[in-house]
Amino acid sequence: MEKLPIDYIEVGYRSIPLKGYLGKYYYCPVFVLDELKKLMPSKKLVIILNEKDIREEHVRELLLPIKPFVTLIRIAVDPQNFERAISLAKAIKAMGFELALNVMYMSNWKSDPSFLNLLSKLDGTLDFFYMVDSYGGILPNEVKEIIQLVKSKTKIPIGFHGHDNLNMGLINTITALDEGCTIVDSTITGMGRGAGNLQTELLLTYLESKNSIKFNFNKLASLVSRFDILKKKYQWGTNLPYMFSGAYSLPQKDVMEWLGMNRYSLSSILNALNNKKLVQKDNIELPFFTNEKKYKKVIILGGGKSIDINKKAIEKLLVSDDDIALINVGVRNVQKFPNIKNDKFISLVGIESEESLSSIYSSENFNVSVYGPYPRKMGTYVPDKLIESSFELDSINFTTASNDSPFAIAAQLAINFGVKELFLIGFDGYDTDINKNQLLLEKENQKIIDDLANASLKLFSLTPTKYGNLNVTSIY
């Protein structure tokens, strides 16, 4: 970074102590800033404050120790809290820092620009007024309109911070520069929450091609290669759900959570976002599933690798007793046992892609798809070919873990069948190196297993598992 034509480098937050674990770049202790400044002595280091957590009385304690290292303080502000942020801004400026206000939700400003009338109170206080495209859905013509609106209210230099949901980061930033913005943001490889930001390497390459700057491309390539390793691990960058959320100015927090859980298909997430856009809970109600046939034994088939490892044994077990009902958790393994005559059921949370659902109606001896109770979190999509064989549960009453878990739906279905013995296959559990959302999913599954163990049935796992409170026996 020291060798590239970049003026300011934001390195993290400063914050009062908050609940939960937040890493060193959320608090940026002095020793971290000292180290960074020594590595980048010619650069102006920047930290950001989250206005919702920081008040005027916190300023001296947070900022006085970092004065030797940090040039610019940025404050992230919700427009609704703009007036409250004014006293915070004045207190920071009085300490001698350069100061920027990063005001979020730019795509909503035209509908309510009233906070901009308060900008005159910050004349002589702010060095930069930043427009932040929080949803990543702004288009170039809107950038022009909003910059003109801001210019009509203040002479404070304007900055632009673009997210890249619609891949508009570069053109919006170029437009902002053409319209008179004096400072713009980018991140290496677009690093950022969810869809991420304009890539620094793209902006630098563009500016170099216009003879605006000169730099060593080998230095840039070396830097990008290091961030590529991080990108593979944390997987920022836009995709179809982020594009949808950007286009309709929907928060991407839900998208990040849904993608992280690895439970929902892209179709599920898009349908849920569309329901949010339409302000509706769910889009389809299905008939309640009522079953006359009872089973003594049911196998619930999860999604673990142990299913493929023990595929032949599972098939032989099912062939040996066609009175065992098989419930697939989702569609992943529907076609893996084409030769069995056992009754088959599939538990679904509401949405699967057309391609995934095609595996159901091409499967022989298929009975029904069973969904959780209405309304379903992700909404519902059922192809015409499956509508007559699709039902929903009226309730899930054996557990409070989740109504949105295909495992909970399958378990409730088994209980409704009146089973005496319930066998789990493919519930392998997670390794230790899992993310936060996977950990929540593991805890949810364990809660379901615990609640099943308290039901009046015998519960077994026929394949190896990391889950507790299970009788583990061998399928062999």
Side-chain angles (χ1 to χ4, degrees):
M1 297 295 285
E2 176 67 15
K3 301 295 183 182
L4 294 172
I6 297 166
D7 301 293
Y8 294 86
I9 299 176
E10 184 181 289
V11 295
Y13 286 82
R14 286 282 279 181
S15 178
I16 60 174
L18 298 176
K19 184 179 179 181
Y21 176 81
L22 295 163
K24 65 182 179 180
Y25 295 110
Y26 201 88
Y27 293 107
C28 283
V30 168
F31 76 88
V32 170
L33 294 172
D34 182 27
E35 180 183 13
L36 291 171
K37 187 61 179 176
K38 286 174 180 174
L39 292 167
M40 299 179 286
S42 73
K43 301 303 178 183
K44 295 179 178 181
L45 298 193
V46 184
I47 63 100
I48 191 162
L49 304 177
N50 198 338
E51 189 275 338
K52 70 177 182 179
D53 301 319
I54 308 300
R55 297 293 172 266
E56 188 177 349
E57 60 266 26
H58 301 136
V59 166
R60 187 170 181 82
E61 180 183 357
L62 283 177
L63 300 186
L64 189 61
I66 68 173
K67 280 202 72 176
F69 316 106
V70 172
T71 302
L72 172 65
I73 306 295
R74 308 210 297 181
I75 310 172
V77 184
D78 186 316
Q80 294 183 351
N81 299 327
F82 192 90
E83 188 164 15
R84 187 176 70 185
I86 292 174
S87 60
L88 177 62
K90 290 182 179 294
I92 294 170
K93 189 62 179 177
M95 295 186 69
F97 290 98
E98 292 183 27
L99 182 64
L101 220 57
N102 286 32
V103 183
M104 300 182 283
Y105 312 126
M106 178 183 170
S107 55
N108 295 337
W109 291 7
K110 287 193 294 183
S111 61
D112 184 11
S114 57
F115 75 94
L116 292 172
N117 295 324
L118 300 171
L119 269 174
S120 59
K121 295 184 178 182
L122 289 169
D123 287 340
T125 299
L126 288 185
D127 294 276
F128 304 108
F129 174 79
Y130 257 97
M131 310 180 305
V132 180
D133 180 17
S134 303
Y135 300 124
I138 285 285
L139 299 176
N141 65 303
E142 295 172 297
V143 174
K144 290 182 180 180
E145 291 174 15
I146 295 170
I147 288 175
Q148 293 307 313
L149 175 62
V150 173
K151 282 184 172 181
S152 72
K153 304 291 184 179
T154 185
K155 299 298 183 183
I156 298 169
I158 302 172
F160 177 72
H161 177 101
H163 290 186
D164 211 26
N165 296 60
L166 298 180
N167 286 143
M168 289 288 173
L170 180 62
I171 186 60
N172 284 341
T173 299
I174 294 170
T175 302
L177 290 170
D178 290 343
E179 293 298 309
C181 281
T182 58
I183 188 167
V184 294
D185 291 0
S186 62
T187 59
I188 306 295
T189 67
M191 181 182 72
R193 291 178 73 237
N197 303 82
L198 166 63
Q199 303 103 303
T200 298
E201 61 272 25
L202 178 59
L203 179 60
L204 291 181
T205 301
Y206 169 79
L207 293 173
E208 202 274 343
S209 74
K210 300 301 180 184
N211 297 314
S212 300
I213 57 173
K214 294 294 180 185
F215 62 91
N216 185 329
F217 271 95
N218 289 331
K219 296 291 184 184
L220 180 61
S222 175
L223 182 61
V224 168
S225 65
R226 297 184 184 199
F227 275 77
D228 276 335
I229 297 170
L230 291 173
K231 186 173 183 178
K232 288 175 183 176
K233 180 176 181 180
Y234 294 103
Q235 297 184 328
W236 62 77
T238 197
N239 57 28
L240 190 53
Y242 286 129
M243 292 171 193
F244 190 100
S245 66
Y248 291 100
S249 293
L250 300 171
Q252 61 182 9
K253 180 177 179 293
D254 287 340
V255 179
M256 292 168 64
E257 177 186 333
W258 295 336
L259 288 170
M261 287 188 76
N262 199 28
R263 168 183 286 174
Y264 308 112
S265 66
L266 288 181
S267 299
S268 299
I269 295 170
L270 286 168
N271 196 76
L273 289 169
N274 193 52
N275 283 347
K276 280 181 176 288
K277 176 174 73 80
L278 298 174
V279 196
Q280 64 183 13
K281 289 182 178 180
D282 197 351
N283 46 296
I284 294 179
E285 284 190 72
L286 296 166
F288 289 145
F289 180 67
T290 55
N291 54 295
E292 297 179 0
K293 188 173 181 179
K294 300 294 183 181
Y295 303 90
K296 291 182 179 179
K297 297 178 181 180
V298 166
I299 290 174
I300 296 180
L301 205 61
K305 294 179 180 178
S306 59
I307 292 173
D308 288 326
I309 294 170
N310 301 287
K311 184 174 179 294
K312 191 70 173 179
I314 296 168
E315 183 173 8
K316 284 191 172 294
L317 174 62
L318 290 165
V319 168
S320 70
D321 186 351
D322 61 13
D323 197 40
I324 300 176
L326 178 66
I327 305 176
N328 287 273
V329 174
V331 299
R332 182 180 302 176
N333 295 303
V334 165
Q335 291 188 317
K336 285 192 175 167
F337 302 100
N339 300 320
I340 65 170
K341 303 300 182 185
N342 307 68
D343 291 337
K344 298 177 186 176
F345 304 86
I346 303 171
S347 65
L348 297 170
V349 295
I351 296 284
E352 295 287 345
S353 69
E354 182 80 42
E355 182 181 7
S356 295
L357 290 171
S358 68
S359 66
I360 298 177
Y361 48 73
S362 63
S363 176
E364 295 182 5
N365 196 33
F366 163 69
N367 283 26
V368 295
S369 299
V370 181
Y371 295 80
Y374 178 92
R376 288 163 284 279
K377 184 175 181 179
M378 309 307 288
T380 312
Y381 169 69
V382 182
D384 291 341
K385 291 182 179 180
L386 294 179
I387 196 69
E388 291 186 1
S389 58
S390 297
F391 302 87
E392 65 182 59
L393 296 173
D394 61 346
S395 64
I396 294 177
N397 51 38
F398 80 96
T399 184
T400 57
S402 174
N403 274 11
D404 193 49
S405 160
F407 180 24
I409 296 166
Q412 184 66 59
L413 185 59
I415 291 171
N416 292 354
F417 286 149
V419 296
K420 303 299 182 184
E421 294 181 312
L422 179 57
F423 300 96
L424 305 183
I425 296 177
F427 287 82
D428 304 354
Y430 289 94
D431 294 325
T432 54
D433 185 18
I434 58 176
N435 63 37
K436 179 181 176 181
N437 289 316
Q438 289 169 329
L439 179 61
L440 292 173
L441 194 59
E442 182 178 51
K443 288 183 176 179
E444 178 184 280
N445 285 345
Q446 185 63 62
K447 168 68 173 165
I448 293 168
I449 289 169
D450 293 343
D451 291 338
L452 277 173
N454 293 326
S456 55
L457 50 81
K458 294 180 180 179
L459 181 63
F460 301 90
S461 176
L462 297 183
T463 50
T465 181
K466 294 183 175 71
Y467 289 109
N469 210 12
L470 275 171
N471 296 305
V472 182
T473 186
S474 173
I475 192 168
Y476 295 96

